[in-house]
Amino acid sequence: MTWQDQIGFPLLSTLTFVPLFGVLLILLFGRGRPVVYRVISLASMLVVFVLALVMMLTFDTAASGLQFVEDVTWISSLNIHYGFGIDGISALLIFLTAVLGVIVVLASWRYAKQREMGFFIALLLLQVGMVGVFCATDLVLFYVFWEAMLVPMYFIIGIWGGPRRIYAAIKFFLFTLVGSLLMLVAIIVSVYYVRDASGVLTFNIQELGAQVYPYHLQFWAFLAFFLAFAIKVPMFPVHTWLPDAHVEAPMAGSVILAGVLLKMGGYGMLRFCLPFYPDAAITFAPYVIVLSIIAIVYGALVSLVQKDLKKLVAYSSVSHMGFVTAGIFASIAVAGNAIGMEGAILVMFNHGILTGALFLMVGFLYERTRTREIANMAMLATPMPVTAAFLLFFALGSLGLPGLNGFVGEFLSLLGLFRYSEWMTAVAALGVILAAAYLLWMFQRVMFNDRGVEHVAPAGPLADLQLREIVSLLPLLVLAVWAGIYPNTFLAYLHVPVRELMDQVMPALESSRDNGLASVLLAVREHL
C-alpha cells in the first residue's frame, strides 16, 4: 500500500529526514545561541512524534504486506532503490523511537556543559539513522542507515561521556563494526546467489526473503547476520560492551542505547535471520534459546550484586532482552506458536519505555547527588518524594508487576517458551523473581535505608524533580499504564506481520527432520 493511497505525502521520508532539516537550521541560526538550537532540536523531535502519531492512527492493522511504500531507483546499474515501507513491527518501533527522541531532548535541556550545540546535532543525526533502519526496504539503504547511526552514538559516548568514555566508545564501535562487516559479507553472498540463480540482481528485502537458499549458504549467512544482531541485542556472551557503554554514556545516550539501539538486534533477527534463512534458524533455535535463558538469569544475578546504579540498570537490560530472543526462537521451533513472537516484540517496546525511564531517573539522581554509588544515596525519599514515587513506579513496571506493561510482554514470551520446553520456562521465570529482588532492594537502599551504608551528604539541599523533568517522564508513565491495562492497542499491530513471518518459517520447520543436525537437535528438544 503506497503513501499516495494512504496519506497523500511521503510520510516515512518526512519522518526520517525532519531531524536532518533541524541540523541545517541549527548550523545556520544556532551558533552561540543555546536557546535557539535547543528549541530547534525539540521542535524537530516534536514534528517527528506528530508524524509518528499520524502513522499509527492511519496504519491499517488488518492489511497484509508493507504500507506507506516509497520506491525510487537510486543506483540503476546495480538495481539499488531508495525504498521505504513498514509493517506493524516497524510502526511500533518507529513510534517508540519518536517518543524517546522528544524525551531525551527535553531531559537533556541543560545536560551538556561543553560543545552543547554538537550534542544536540548528534542526537538529531542519531534519530535519522534509527528511523531509517526501521523504514528501509532495500538492503543497501538499510546498511547505510545501520552504519550511519553508529557515528553519532560514538561521539555522544566519546565526547560527552564519563571518565572512561574513550574506552567505552571504541569498544562499542569495534564490537558493532565487526558484526556489521560480517553482515555485509552475508548480504553480498545472498544477493549474488539470487542473481546467479534467477538472473535478477536485486537488493529488495521482500524479494530476497521470498527466495529459497541452499542449506549450506543459509548456515553461514545466518551465522553472520545473527552475530551482527546478537551483538546489538546484546546476547550473552557478546554483551560485554554494553555495561561500559551505558556507564560512560551521558543520560541521553543511555536512554537511546537501551530504548532503541538494542531493539535493532531483535528487529534484524525478525527481518532477516528468520525469513531469509528459515532452515538455518530452525537448526540454531535450540542453541539460541539456551543462550537466551543464560542471559536472563546471568543478567539478573549480576544486577543483584552491582554497587553502581547505572550498571545495575545496564545489566538488567541483558536479562530483559533475553526474553526477546527466547520468545522469537521458541516461536519458530514449535508450529503455530506465534504468541511467543508477539510477546518478544512487545517486550522490546515495553523495555524501551521502562528502561529508558530508569536511565532518566539515574541521570536525574546523579545531577543532584553527583554519585551513582547506591551506598552513597541513602534516605533520598524524604527530600525527594516525587522522585521516589517515579522511581518506584518504573521499578515495579520493570520487575513485571501485573497491570503495568513489563508484565504483558514477558508473560507472553514465557507462554511461547512453555510450549517449547516446560523446564526451560521454569528456569527463565527465575529472571522475573530476581528482577523483583534487585529492583526492590535497590529502591529500598536508595530511598529509605539509613543504616549500614557509606552515606555521603551532598554539598547542598537536594531538590526534587523539576517540572521539565516530570513532563519528560509522564509520557513514559502513561504508556506503561496503557500497555499494561490494554495491551491489545499495541498487539493489534503485530498479529498480521507475525502471522506472515510464521508462514515463511513453518515450511522449514516441517521439513527440518530431513536435515541431519536439525533432526538431532529437534530430537534432543523433544526428549527434554
Side-chain angles (χ1 to χ4, degrees), residues 10 60 101 112 159-160 193 213 219 233 237 254 257 275 283 290 293 295 313 372 378 399 401 497:
D60 186 354
I159 295 177
W160 297 280
Y193 170 81
Y213 300 91
F219 187 94
V233 166
S254 292
L257 193 60
T283 300
V290 169
I293 293 171
V313 181
R372 291 193 303 264
L399 63 85
L401 180 71

Side-chain angles (χ1 to χ4, degrees), residues 331 334-339 419 502 506 509:
S331 289
V334 180
N337 192 20
I339 192 169
R419 294 192 62 185
M502 295 293 287
M506 282 308 102
L509 178 61

Side-chain angles (χ1 to χ4, degrees), residues 9-333:
F9 71 97
L11 176 65
L12 298 183
S13 290
T14 310
L15 253 173
T16 303
F17 294 111
V18 160
L20 190 59
F21 181 68
V23 170
L24 295 176
L25 291 179
I26 289 174
L27 293 174
L28 289 173
F29 306 110
R31 291 184 179 277
R33 304 162 71 184
V35 175
V36 173
Y37 55 70
R38 290 174 191 164
V39 170
I40 291 174
S41 300
L42 182 59
S44 301
M45 294 297 196
L46 283 170
V47 171
V48 172
F49 170 73
V50 171
L51 292 171
L53 201 56
V54 171
M55 173 198 71
M56 295 291 282
L57 294 174
T58 55
F59 189 91
D60 186 354
T61 56
S64 60
L66 298 178
Q67 300 185 38
F68 305 105
V69 173
E70 306 170 29
D71 191 89
V72 179
T73 301
W74 180 16
I75 304 174
S76 57
S77 60
L78 294 175
N79 197 27
I80 296 172
H81 286 231
Y82 173 85
F84 274 2
I86 60 170
D87 60 9
I89 301 170
S90 306
L92 212 56
L93 294 175
I94 290 170
F95 179 70
L96 174 65
T97 306
V99 171
L100 292 178
V102 175
I103 287 170
V104 295
V105 170
L106 193 60
S108 305
W109 201 252
R110 292 186 176 87
Y111 189 88
K113 307 302 180 186
Q114 296 179 338
R115 302 175 181 174
E116 190 177 10
M117 187 176 81
F119 177 76
F120 284 101
I121 288 176
L123 287 180
L124 292 172
L125 292 175
L126 184 59
Q127 190 81 354
V128 173
M130 293 186 298
V131 175
V133 163
F134 295 131
C135 292
T137 59
D138 184 279
L139 262 176
V140 173
L141 190 63
F142 171 87
Y143 192 80
V144 168
F145 281 119
W146 180 273
E147 292 297 288
M149 71 181 177
L150 300 182
V151 178
M153 179 55 76
Y154 171 81
F155 285 116
I156 286 172
I157 298 172
I159 295 177
W160 297 280
R164 299 175 72 241
R165 58 187 178 271
I166 301 299
Y167 168 78
I170 292 175
K171 191 173 183 180
F172 160 76
F173 194 86
L174 289 178
F175 264 76
T176 310
L177 184 62
V178 168
S180 299
L181 293 175
L182 289 172
M183 180 169 63
L184 180 61
V185 173
I187 289 172
I188 295 171
V189 170
S190 300
V191 166
Y192 279 90
Y193 170 81
V194 171
R195 188 202 65 173
D196 293 341
S198 65
V200 177
L201 179 64
T202 179
F203 289 88
N204 183 276
I205 292 172
Q206 280 66 46
E207 292 177 9
L208 292 170
Q211 302 296 321
V212 177
Y213 300 91
Y215 186 76
H216 68 277
L217 186 151
Q218 288 195 39
F219 187 94
W220 294 109
F222 174 90
L223 280 178
F225 267 105
F226 179 78
L227 184 58
F229 300 135
I231 289 171
K232 185 69 75 176
V233 166
M235 285 187 68
F236 176 90
V238 289
H239 66 285
T240 56
W241 64 269
L242 181 69
D244 293 309
H246 270 312
V247 169
E248 300 304 325
M251 176 175 61
S254 292
V255 172
I256 293 297
L257 193 60
V260 183
L261 263 63
L262 304 191
K263 312 305 175 292
M264 291 179 178
Y267 177 79
M269 293 176 189
L270 293 166
R271 190 64 75 218
F272 300 102
C273 291
L274 271 55
F276 277 45
Y277 317 113
D279 295 297
I282 298 297
T283 300
F284 286 101
Y287 293 113
V288 179
I289 293 169
V290 169
L291 288 175
S292 301
I293 293 171
I294 292 172
I296 291 170
V297 178
Y298 165 81
L301 287 173
V302 176
S303 296
L304 197 59
V305 299
Q306 291 306 310
K307 298 179 180 180
D308 185 298
L309 186 57
K310 205 171 188 184
K311 221 170 217 185
L312 185 151
V313 181
Y315 274 108
S316 76
S317 292
V318 176
S319 180
H320 288 301
M321 292 302 290
F323 287 100
V324 173
T325 49
I328 290 172
F329 283 87
S331 289
I332 66 166

Side-chain angles (χ1 to χ4, degrees), residues 358-406:
L358 286 174
F359 275 117
L360 285 176
M361 296 303 305
V362 172
F364 295 153
L365 287 169
Y366 180 77
E367 287 179 350
R368 288 159 172 79
T369 63
R370 309 313 300 174
T371 181
R372 291 193 303 264
E373 292 293 319
I374 296 174
N376 296 341
M377 296 165 65
M379 292 302 293
L380 297 183
T382 301
M384 304 168 67
V386 177
T387 305
F390 273 104
L391 181 60
L392 178 61
F393 176 87
F394 291 117
L396 291 174
S398 189
L399 63 85
L401 180 71
L404 297 179
N405 62 339

